[in-house]
Amino acid sequence: LTIAFTGTISGWHPVESVFRVFDEFIGTHPEAALCLRMIGVSGREALEESIRTKFPNLARNVTFTGRLPNDEMALELAKANAFLMFNMYAYSGTKVFDYLALRRKIILCYSDDPEARQLKFQHYKLDLPPGADEHVLERIVEETQSGVVVKDALHLREVLTSLYREFEHSRRIACEPVGTEKHSRRAHAEQLA
C-alpha cells in the first residue's frame, strides 16, 4: 500500500502527528507492506532526519524523491494507491486539483485535531478576509467523494487500518469521485477568463 505526498510542508502542517501514526501502525503491523512516498517535498533533509531519529518504524518504509517536472511528478503520483494532504484551511492550494485528476483516495489531515490547532495558532499567519471559509479542502474532498477528511490522529489510525484491510483484500484502494470536472484546470481557467 503506497501513500504519496508531494509539495510544500508548512509550519502549521501536523507532520509529526501524521508520522507518529504511520510509525505506530507499522510498529503494530510489522507484516504490513505500507510505504509513504514523499515526492519533491520542501525541507527534505530535516524531514529525513526527523523520521530517522523519531520514527524508526516509518524510516524503513518511507522513500523520498527530489523535485520533478510536472509530467514526471504525475507519473510518480499515479503509482500510489492514495494521497496524503494537509489542511490548508482557507486556501485550497493547487495540489488538490492534481490529486483529483489522478482519481486516488485523498487522506486530508486534519479537520479537528488538538495538535494541528496548536500548530495553526502558532504558524498560520496568512491574512484572511472577514468571513473566509476555513474548510475549503474539506468541502472539496467531501463534495467530490474523493477521499476522507480525517478528524484527528485517532481517526487517522482507523483510516490507515481500513485502507490496509481494503488493500489486502483487493490489492487496490477504491476511489470513484464525482463532479471533479468542475475542479479541472480548464474549468478554473474558463472561470478566470
Side-chain angles (χ1 to χ4, degrees):
L1 172 63
T2 301
I3 299 172
F5 174 86
T6 187
T8 302
I9 293 183
S10 300
W12 65 82
H13 292 159
V15 176
E16 290 211 355
S17 171
V18 169
F19 287 171
R20 191 177 312 114
V21 172
F22 273 78
D23 189 72
E24 290 169 1
F25 179 84
I26 294 166
T28 57
H29 300 83
E31 77 291 344
L34 173 68
C35 176
L36 179 60
R37 183 102 167 108
M38 306 294 280
I39 302 169
V41 296
S42 59
R44 175 180 172 172
E45 294 78 19
L47 284 174
E48 285 181 307
E49 179 63 22
S50 175
I51 291 170
R52 192 172 29 259
T53 58
K54 298 177 185 175
F55 309 106
N57 297 315
L58 177 58
R60 295 187 304 268
N61 295 52
V62 66
T63 60
F64 285 85
T65 71
R67 293 194 184 275
L68 301 170
N70 278 349
D71 56 340
E72 290 179 37
M73 180 197 62
L75 290 173
E76 281 299 312
L77 284 172
K79 296 175 186 176
N81 307 105
F83 300 135
L84 174 63
M85 178 177 284
F86 294 105
N87 205 336
M88 298 286 291
Y89 305 105
Y91 298 96
S92 69
T94 58
K95 179 184 328 189
V96 68
F97 306 113
D98 293 330
Y99 283 8
L100 287 173
L102 289 166
R103 303 178 66 85
R104 303 291 190 283
K105 187 165 291 235
I106 297 170
I107 304 166
L108 177 62
C109 297
Y110 296 117
S111 65
D112 189 26
D113 180 81
E115 190 174 332
R117 271 195 309 275
Q118 183 62 33
L119 289 169
K120 181 183 177 201
F121 177 76
Q122 291 172 337
H123 301 285
Y124 194 79
K125 305 299 182 193
L126 304 175
D127 290 329
L128 299 179
D133 178 6
E134 291 201 49
H135 305 280
V136 173
L137 285 175
E138 295 171 43
R139 190 172 32 78
I140 290 171
V141 168
E142 288 172 344
E143 284 177 3
T144 60
Q145 300 172 25
S146 59
V148 180
V149 176
V150 179
K151 179 181 177 185
D152 54 20
L154 182 60
H155 186 205
L156 180 57
R157 287 183 187 98
E158 296 168 7
V159 168
L160 279 181
T161 301
S162 175
L163 290 176
Y164 194 75
R165 285 185 183 139
E166 180 181 350
F167 184 77
E168 268 190 321
H169 180 261
S170 63
R171 306 312 292 170
R172 63 183 297 271
I173 300 297
C175 183
E176 300 297 329
V178 296
T180 58
E181 60 281 349
K182 76 178 186 180
H183 295 292
S184 71
R185 289 186 191 274
R186 174 177 286 175
H188 283 256
E190 287 173 1
Q191 280 181 329
L192 184 61

